[in-house]
Amino acid sequence: MPAVERRRIQQLSPSLVNRIAAGEVIERPAAVVKELVENAIDAGATEITVEAEDGGRALIRVIDNGLGIAPDELPLAFASHATSKLADDEDLFRIATMGFRGEALASIGSVSHARILSRTPASEAAGEIHDRGGVISDVQVAAGNVGTTIEVRNLFYNTPARRKFIKGTSTEFGHISEMLLRLALPHPLISFKLLHNGRVALDLPVATEQERLLAAWPQEFHEQRLHVNAGDAELRIRGIIGLPELARPTARYQYLYLNGRAIRDRFIQHALREAYRGLTEPGRHPAAILLLKVPPQDVDVNVHPTKVEVRFRDSGRIHGLVHSSVREVLLGNDLTPNAIPMRSDAGPPRQDLREKLAEFFRQQLPGNGDAAPGALAPSVSADALNFAIREETGSSDADSGFAARGFANQVPQRSQEIAEENVARSAKPQAAIQLHNSYLVAQSDDGLVIIDQHALHERIMYEELLSRLQRGPLESQRMLIPIPVTVSEAQAALLEQIQPLLKKLGIEVHSFGPDTVAVQSFPSFLEKLDPGTFVRELLERGEQELLDLHDEEVLHEVLDMMACKAAVKAGDPLTGPEIEALLARRELVERSSNCPHGRPTTLRLSLRDLEKQFKRTGF
Ligand code: ADP
Ligand code: MG
């Protein structure tokens, strides 16, 4: 005999149904704001004011100048599953409004004291109706402007369990403010105002799309934005993205919209992350506000009660569009950070570097800036320049030690052409001096650049490896004796997952007993490294970071690691030809000036900056 008593199946009462729905949709005061403001947007309002008291716990009032609700429909507004936004079954598959479930007002009314005051343009007077925890009043005639005002007081007064989860006034108000901003961004033609306890907290007048989107970012980000606008007649993407250095550990400055609705979508976030790959540190979230437009029938918004998650008919296409359009904008722009910080919080290292440089030039150049910038460059023989090209074609000088650094033989056709073209094009020889065995200083068109030799080489290796891979697996060397590496169970599992990928990269590792694997071949260009150590490190890192990544992401991570290990280090003295070869290849990665780990490879100091430093301006 079961220990429980059987109970009859019963239909739930409407008030219970609504409270259950409220549990899903109305998580906190900000959720009320979302539902009410979405309704106002759907009603065609051009002015929306939100007033909150005590973080929205005491009162939330939303006033709009939209189309209003006719008096005889007011009772339906609070009824569950009652909506003006769906006429037939088909409509559900091409939703163009923010709402469609007809549940929000019923849910809100069931857990608060709510009131609607509304007037349509056609009616003489407004109508008013109350919902007190699910008990709906009759409609009364009242005075009011065209549009709708909805008041929600004493939220969760009858659901103590939910009320307990509500945080302090400022936290809840913070959520409200963020929510309203999020709602307002894709609607620049609607003015939004938010008041808290009578004080204006947010004021967004009618604006252009650009201006409105920028409202989400701090002022100092504004100058560092790039514009995205791409797509075709069906699929469009518009918005602003931040320079890589604006990426942050949280996704705070990231806003994604689909047909005007704020969404959360792992696919799109992934596409965005991928577009910034190599430009920001891993784990950082680029600043980006993207407005996607998709035909309504190509997306299902009915998969989540608050509609923040959606399902695309063709997610691959969206992914591709986001990735390619963002990447294109990034690579099409000069991302070289300026050595003179643009922002006050640019951090001390650059400031330091700038001062050190100014100091260096004061000491090194007796002419104190009178000298032409060309005087910086030590003379470089034509031979040294040609060296880079010969090296690339692998025709001679292969024993220069440079080959051993992993440069030679890995160069793809394209970079060779670029480098050749580059040398042919530039009238002046490109030359640099090495400082502290770590930095290369070279003349640029409008001043000079300071290059981090490790970061640049790493970046070059990364790009070269990537394009080399497109032509087939990397060359590898078979070990005479396989090199054993002890692995944990998780590492062995990871290895199994990434084995095919490693093979492409020239690393062959096979299982060799219960907790041991053996490295059987290793890429030729990494010959300086110890294969056992490399594989051990890869698996250790992988255990924490690679397990739930896509193959492509794993590939990039491993490439990052290879490029980093194979590149010249800070502190390595470079010969003239080596410097030349590095600079010749710079063109290959020029457009993206960050190393795979997200650090910049190049800082720039313009003549103007120098003049300022030497106090030559201002008189
Ligand atoms: P939904 O938005 O999913 O239709 P709601 O419960 O949010 O469901 O609203 C129910 C109905 O009330 C809406 O379909 C709409 O007709 C009407 N309504 C709600 N708010 C407003 C408003 N601010 N202006 C005009 N009509 C509104
Ligand atoms: Mg609604």
Side-chain angles (χ1 to χ4, degrees):
M1 273 293 274
V4 292
E5 200 182 318
R6 208 187 77 81
R7 297 217 256 167
R8 292 188 61 77
I9 302 177
Q10 289 179 34
Q11 193 81 48
L12 291 177
S13 72
S15 75
L16 210 44
V17 169
N18 290 339
R19 266 191 239 175
I20 290 169
E24 276 186 324
V25 183
I26 311 301
E27 196 194 348
R28 60 182 349 142
V32 172
V33 170
K34 172 178 190 282
E35 294 298 335
L36 299 185
V37 170
E38 285 189 347
N39 282 343
I41 294 170
D42 281 344
T46 56
E47 274 178 46
I48 300 176
T49 303
V50 179
E51 297 171 14
E53 278 170 25
D54 191 18
R57 292 177 299 192
L59 169 74
I60 293 167
R61 181 187 291 128
V62 176
I63 306 161
D64 73 53
N65 64 349
L67 287 173
I69 306 172
D72 60 318
E73 290 172 38
L74 277 174
L76 276 175
F78 277 133
S80 61
H81 312 300
T83 177
S84 57
K85 299 167 194 176
L86 290 184
D88 54 40
D89 289 11
E90 283 300 296
D91 281 356
L92 187 54
F93 304 103
R94 41 162 194 263
I95 290 193
T97 49
M98 307 285 278
F100 60 87
R101 297 164 59 96
E103 250 178 0
L105 291 184
S107 301
I108 292 167
S110 73
V111 294
S112 69
H113 295 148
R115 177 175 90 108
I116 305 177
L117 177 72
S118 190
R119 187 178 142 197
T120 62
S123 45
E124 294 283 296
E128 185 181 345
I129 190 170
H130 296 259
D131 185 347
R132 302 188 140 257
V135 182
I136 301 169
S137 73
D138 291 334
V139 178
Q140 271 156 12
V141 179
N145 297 328
V146 171
T148 304
T149 297
I150 304 190
E151 276 175 13
V152 176
R153 292 179 191 272
N154 310 325
L155 185 62
F156 303 130
Y157 80 98
N158 55 357
T159 49
R162 181 51 60 95
R163 202 170 55 226
K164 261 193 251 155
F165 286 98
I166 302 305
K167 301 269 173 6
T169 301
S170 59
T171 305
E172 291 304 333
F173 182 71
H175 285 288
I176 288 178
S177 170
E178 175 62 28
M179 178 63 81
L180 190 65
L181 179 70
R182 199 168 276 274
L183 287 162
L185 292 185
H187 299 287
L189 298 180
I190 305 177
S191 71
F192 290 87
K193 203 175 236 180
L194 173 64
L195 290 94
H196 191 216
N197 298 333
R199 297 238 310 267
V200 177
L202 194 66
D203 189 1
L204 298 169
V206 171
T208 63
E209 185 171 274
Q210 287 293 322
E211 288 167 338
R212 179 57 64 83
L213 295 187
L214 285 172
W217 283 357
Q219 186 69 39
E220 66 266 26
F221 280 30
H222 293 192
E223 288 289 293
Q224 305 185 60
R225 71 174 187 272
L226 302 169
H227 298 243
V228 179
N229 190 354
D232 51 36
E234 286 210 311
L235 223 59
R236 283 221 70 82
I237 179 170
R238 277 205 318 272
I240 52 176
I241 58 171
L243 293 183
E245 53 188 305
L246 298 186
R248 293 291 179 269
T250 69
R252 176 138 185 242
Y253 300 114
Q254 218 175 71
Y255 296 82
L256 297 180
Y257 294 90
L258 178 81
N259 297 344
R261 187 194 302 281
I263 56 158
R264 225 177 20 223
D265 189 86
R266 284 193 48 207
F267 249 126
I268 299 177
Q269 281 165 340
H270 177 258
L272 186 60
R273 232 181 18 248
E274 281 298 305
Y276 277 78
R277 174 170 279 289
L279 304 176
T280 63
E281 281 170 60
R284 293 214 155 210
H285 301 263
I289 308 181
L290 297 177
L291 309 176
L292 286 158
K293 247 182 102 176
V294 178
Q297 62 273 18
D298 285 358
V299 53
D300 188 358
V301 290
N302 189 26
V303 292
H304 190 274
T306 64
K307 298 162 264 175
V308 291
E309 278 167 26
V310 296
R311 212 161 281 154
F312 295 104
R313 204 168 67 181
D314 187 353
S315 53
R317 211 168 136 219
I318 311 261
H319 190 281
L321 177 67
V322 173
H323 179 261
S324 64
S325 57
V326 172
R327 186 89 182 157
E328 205 166 287
V329 169
L330 286 170
L331 296 187
N333 277 275
D334 181 4
L335 305 177
T336 312
N338 204 300
I340 305 294
M342 284 192 265
R343 310 192 309 264
S344 47
D345 66 337
R350 273 189 214 165
Q351 184 74 28
D352 266 344
L353 189 58
R354 185 191 61 169
E355 273 159 16
K356 275 195 192 141
L357 259 142
E359 181 62 21
F360 174 84
F361 287 113
R362 266 195 288 271
Q363 289 168 4
Q364 301 289 316
L365 303 177
N368 198 0
D370 288 349
L376 264 180
S379 66
V380 171
S381 73
D383 246 19
L385 259 176
N386 288 336
F387 176 87
I389 305 303
R390 284 211 309 276
E391 188 72 77
E392 280 173 15
T393 53
S395 60
S396 67
D397 287 314
D399 59 342
S400 68
F402 204 60
R405 293 185 202 272
F407 254 100
N409 307 323
Q410 296 289 345
V411 184
Q413 197 60 31
R414 197 169 64 86
S415 75
Q416 191 176 319
E417 281 161 13
I418 292 172
E420 256 158 334
E421 215 176 275
N422 186 28
V423 174
R425 234 185 319 122
S426 56
K428 298 173 286 204
Q430 212 186 13
I433 46 175
Q434 191 187 28
L435 302 183
H436 300 289
N437 289 336
S438 300
Y439 296 103
L440 307 178
V441 181
Q443 181 182 327
S444 67
D445 284 348
D446 67 337
L448 60 95
V449 289
I450 307 134
I451 298 162
D452 177 333
Q453 65 186 37
H454 169 71
L456 175 64
H457 194 188
E458 180 179 32
R459 179 94 199 127
I460 290 170
M461 302 274 306
Y462 178 87
E463 295 292 343
E464 288 182 351
L465 284 171
L466 200 59
S467 73
R468 174 65 192 76
L469 265 179
Q470 278 156 13
R471 301 203 308 272
L474 300 184
E475 292 87 44
S476 64
Q477 266 176 355
R478 271 204 100 64
M479 307 283 123
L480 283 176
I481 304 160
I483 300 170
V485 176
T486 312
V487 292
S488 71
E489 223 166 284
Q491 288 171 345
L494 171 71
L495 191 63
E496 200 164 309
Q497 183 201 319
I498 64 173
Q499 220 159 19
L501 203 139
L502 290 183
K503 194 154 179 209
K504 273 213 235 158
L505 295 169
I507 306 177
E508 266 188 86
V509 191
H510 293 290
S511 130
F512 195 74
D515 54 0
T516 310
V517 296
V519 187
Q520 276 161 336
S521 39
F522 201 62
S524 325
F525 83 100
L526 289 177
E527 64 187 1
K528 269 196 317 179
L529 303 182
D530 173 51
T533 313
F534 184 90
V535 169
R536 188 173 311 116
E537 209 175 298
L538 176 69
L539 292 176
E540 273 165 14
R541 240 184 80 180
E543 211 178 357
Q544 294 150 21
E545 296 170 16
L546 304 184
L547 260 182
D548 25 70
L549 295 184
H550 297 276
D551 272 6
E552 204 194 336
E553 290 178 304
V554 176
L555 175 74
H556 289 288
E557 295 299 332
V558 180
L559 281 184
D560 276 1
M561 202 171 141
M562 285 182 160
C564 180
K565 302 256 175 219
V568 295
K569 301 282 175 299
D572 286 353
L574 298 182
T575 64
E578 287 174 345
I579 292 174
E580 287 307 325
L582 252 183
L583 293 180
R585 285 177 175 83
R586 202 177 143 224
E587 192 86 342
L588 175 70
V589 297
E590 183 82 304
R591 291 183 303 170
S592 51
S593 65
N594 292 49
C595 81
H597 295 154
R599 291 187 290 107
T601 59
T602 303
L603 298 179
R604 204 164 45 187
L605 208 57
S606 70
L607 287 175
R608 268 201 65 206
D609 295 333
L610 282 177
E611 280 160 7
K612 262 195 234 150
Q613 287 298 311
F614 292 120
K615 313 270 186 272
R616 290 184 51 168
T617 50
F619 55 83

